[in-house]
Amino acid sequence: MVSKISAIALIDSCSIHSRSIGSQEIFRKDSIFPQFHIFRVLEEIFRALGEAMARALDVCPARCVASAAGAVPTNSSKPRLALVRGVPHTFSSCITMEKPEAAIDVELARKQHSDYVNILRELVDHVVELSPMDEFPDCPFIEDTAVVIGSKALITRPGASLRRGEVEAVEAELRNLGFEIHNVEPPGTIDGGDVLYVQNTLFVGKSMRTNSRGIEALARAFSPIPVVPIDVAETLHLKSVLSPLGRNSFLAEETFHAKQMLELIRKASMDSCDCVFTPHQGAANLLWVGNTLVYPSAYPCGSDLAELYANSAERVIPANISEFHKGDGGLTCLSIVID
């Protein structure tokens, strides 16, 4: 007879881990393992089998969360894969809401990006690095080009028309890896930076980069996952101003609009929501990789916030990406992490 423990073990790699507040090689495009999609299919079969046994035994299967959409920490030991894209010579010309006070130092950005990728090497099984393209200065912000959950990938249609050519290489890579590809048709637009997957719900910022048609495409691609639009104002993306700290807790910028967004998330999830606020613009974008929390060290981090991070994650790693902040980017913007 199959025990409850056995059933849970089969689905444990997709479970959410919640806490109360208080060297791998880089594989480039031409060296990706072709059997990846086979393992993915087998994994989906075993996961479905585990869920079926769990239901039969009255075990509630935990929810599978994709870090690519801004995940909360999970019980899995290591995410399988992360996609990144290098820094082009033209990065200092990337699109910004306001001109930065100091110009972007491209060489420093490359050093910071290399350090970021080295962090990912420790935390995921494989890193796929796409080559930079000078015709797309914003291409290091790869998160905006795709949303990946389970075996499906939605290739976005970025809201900034100058960025739409970035998606081709990302789509080709995800297709080669065996993902089921979905696309956004005109006039729909959506950026991955507006997509947050928590509480088995997709919260999507309706912003200057993401419109209603784009949100509809997301809902079709990942049906039956509920999709909740969140109006975004005075900022670029939904995840520019808030990030999950755990299953029921968030870090957010201390602004009126960020508080409004959090209230909409709280109402939609029908859960109590603990919120911690930071006065620093851009400091609320955190990157979860498995049970490790990466935080932006370019911003001040007081003892209270440091303690919060330590109590929320098994491991906490600082990452300085100051040059990317100048381009309106955060930690999640620089990768697509796939559990």
Side-chain angles (χ1 to χ4, degrees):
M1 180 178 293
V2 178
S3 69
K4 291 184 179 181
I5 293 176
S6 299
I8 294 172
L10 278 170
I11 60 174
D12 184 59
S13 64
C14 292
S15 64
I16 284 181
H17 177 65
S18 167
R19 288 175 175 265
S20 61
I21 293 183
S23 139
Q24 311 297 332
E25 292 184 1
I26 292 182
F27 287 78
R28 296 185 179 271
K29 182 176 180 181
D30 57 358
S31 63
I32 281 297
F33 36 96
Q35 286 81 15
F36 186 91
H37 64 287
I38 298 174
F39 294 119
R40 176 172 293 281
V41 171
L42 290 173
E43 178 190 53
E44 290 296 317
I45 293 171
F46 282 112
R47 183 174 65 82
L49 178 61
E51 290 176 349
M53 288 192 294
R55 286 193 297 269
L57 294 164
D58 288 330
V59 177
C60 180
R63 298 162 179 161
C64 181
V65 178
S67 297
V72 297
T74 70
N75 276 333
S76 58
S77 56
K78 265 191 177 183
R80 292 171 297 179
L81 183 68
L83 273 65
V84 298
R85 197 163 198 173
V87 179
H89 295 94
T90 55
F91 180 58
S92 59
S93 300
C94 66
I95 303 168
T96 58
M97 295 180 67
E98 296 180 1
K99 184 178 179 179
E101 293 182 4
I104 294 173
D105 184 330
V106 176
E107 288 309 310
L108 179 55
R110 286 177 171 161
K111 169 63 168 59
Q112 291 177 345
H113 191 269
S114 177
D115 292 342
Y116 178 94
V117 172
N118 285 337
I119 290 172
L120 289 178
R121 287 181 189 175
E122 295 182 28
L123 302 177
V124 304
D125 289 329
H126 303 290
V127 175
V128 178
E129 185 175 30
L130 301 183
S131 299
M133 298 181 70
D134 286 344
E135 57 266 49
F136 300 116
D138 293 80
C139 67
F141 301 131
I142 193 172
E143 176 190 46
D144 289 328
T145 62
V147 178
V148 183
I149 300 176
S151 61
K152 297 179 180 180
L154 176 70
I155 306 304
T156 69
R157 186 169 181 265
S161 59
L162 294 175
R163 298 193 61 190
R164 289 177 189 159
E166 296 175 28
V167 305
E168 294 178 8
V170 176
E171 177 175 357
E173 196 65 58
L174 290 170
R175 193 179 297 278
N176 288 340
L177 291 169
F179 287 93
E180 178 185 316
I181 300 296
H182 298 258
N183 297 94
V184 180
E185 299 298 328
T189 63
I190 187 168
D191 280 12
D194 275 318
V195 182
L196 177 66
Y197 187 24
V198 292
Q199 294 288 349
N200 204 30
T201 300
L202 280 162
F203 296 97
V204 190
K206 189 175 181 182
S207 69
M208 63 180 70
R209 297 287 179 86
T210 297
N211 63 21
S212 297
R213 294 290 186 90
I215 295 173
E216 290 169 5
L218 183 83
R220 287 193 297 271
F222 298 111
S223 177
I225 298 173
V227 173
V228 178
I230 304 290
D231 286 333
V232 172
E234 303 298 325
T235 191
L236 183 60
H237 293 130
L238 176 64
K239 288 190 289 189
S240 298
V241 297
L242 58 86
S243 295
L245 275 171
R247 184 170 179 179
N248 293 311
S249 59
F250 285 84
L251 176 68
E253 289 184 13
E254 198 168 10
T255 65
F256 172 76
H257 295 290
K259 291 176 180 179
Q260 275 192 322
M261 295 177 215
L262 278 175
E263 181 62 17
L264 292 171
I265 291 173
R266 187 195 65 78
K267 288 180 178 179
S269 64
M270 295 182 294
D271 279 326
S272 60
C273 180
D274 295 320
C275 302
V276 178
F277 298 95
T278 174
H280 304 291
Q281 184 178 0
N285 181 266
L286 307 174
L287 175 66
W288 282 99
V289 186
N291 288 323
T292 297
L293 174 62
V294 186
Y295 73 92
S297 62
Y299 299 107
C301 178
S303 58
D304 290 346
L305 193 54
E307 182 179 0
L308 177 68
Y309 292 159
N311 290 334
S312 301
E314 290 184 0
R315 185 181 179 190
V316 179
I317 301 176
N320 189 337
I321 58 164
S322 62
E323 301 313 294
F324 297 94
H325 295 319
K326 294 177 184 178
D328 296 335
L331 288 167
T332 63
C333 303
L334 297 175
S335 60
I336 300 173
V337 181
I338 303 169
D339 285 341

